[in-house]
Amino acid sequence: MAFFSWLCVLGFTVLWSVASPLFHVQGNGCDFSLGNWVVDDSYYPLYDASRDCPFIGQGFNCLKNGRPDLEYLKYRWKPSSCDLPRFNGVDFLERYRGKKIMFVGDSISNNMWQSLTCLLHTAVPKSNYALQVLSKHLTVFTFLEYDASIMWLKNGLLVDVAHDKEKGRIVKLDSIKSAHKWNGVDVLIFNTYHWWTHLRDSKTLVQFQVGNEIIKDMNPMEAYKIGLTTWSKWVDANIDPSKTRVLFQGIAASHTEGKGCLNRTHPHHGPQPPYPGVEIVQNVLSGMSCPVYLLDITLMTQMRIDGHPSFYTGKGTSYEDCSHWCLAGAPDTWNEILYAALLGL
């Protein structure tokens, strides 16, 4: 572990050359996480999901599902002290020719993965691709000309989960045996949060385990902190930053409380209240010897109450989705930040 911890410190000094302990502040002093949404109908949306990317999941294709308003498609994220670089899909693919990029996380991670595949395909529409569902957990999108693979590995909690007939579902907060699936990848983009918030609401009995101790009643945020710390220790012990770059997709805000997101057609503006879980993420990442780049998307998603599918998921009006995001939409900005972070712009 000490060997890789030393490599992490040395490697990040070379690769990132930034001063912030959480690495969401760029070397030019611009913090992409702070800003506002502005209308830019000359450049956005970056694609038409139905026309340009037929592989986009039904639940994210809000226009195809009948959403009548168009304003939500035209917003650009404007950081407070700089401009976010334009996404260049051809440049991205050239730089990651022969490489593997893996998103590891829940359906919000899937949202970002689908956005990236669409952005890249739109940049090279005549380039052949292969979309493979290799298991119920792993989906791979490969740009054949570039031998570049963009993968999504479904893993909502990152730590291990066991299923017991009598005890129900057991979340093993200090166990991460499934991490072997993350090996051999050039870029890892992790995400975990939303499943933790639903554990108390689960119809299946959920218990937590630390060592040999079973804990029946634990605050989900306390469990989240322990689980995320387990993940951070794995990264510190196993990642060689000269071979693999690691990012953490920050918490995307949902708008499920109150009146929800139905008929919301414009973003919020101005300061937003603290969001649950964010402080935990910041504290865990700042304590790592191998810091990851935090894709800090919480504030920008708090503002985008208009960006959710709401009733326009293709499932009818009995289901309102105020957690996921329409494509085209807010996740495209997350990938613009990813592009800038990976290339050090």
Side-chain angles (χ1 to χ4, degrees), residues 264-284:
R264 298 300 188 104
T265 58
H266 297 90
H268 293 312
H269 292 283
Q272 300 297 311
Y275 200 82
V278 170
E279 186 176 357
I280 293 174
V281 171
Q282 292 175 341
N283 288 340
V284 170

Side-chain angles (χ1 to χ4, degrees), residues 198-238:
H198 298 313
L199 290 176
R200 276 186 172 173
D201 304 328
S202 175
K203 296 179 180 178
T204 304
L205 176 64
V206 177
Q207 301 184 69
F208 300 99
Q209 182 173 343
V210 179
N212 295 321
E213 181 183 2
I214 299 292
I215 306 170
K216 295 183 178 181
D217 188 16
M218 177 182 285
N219 184 294
M221 287 297 95
E222 179 62 25
Y224 178 57
K225 180 180 179 180
I226 298 172
L228 196 62
T229 301
T230 297
W231 164 82
S232 72
K233 290 180 178 178
W234 183 92
V235 171
D236 280 344
N238 293 279

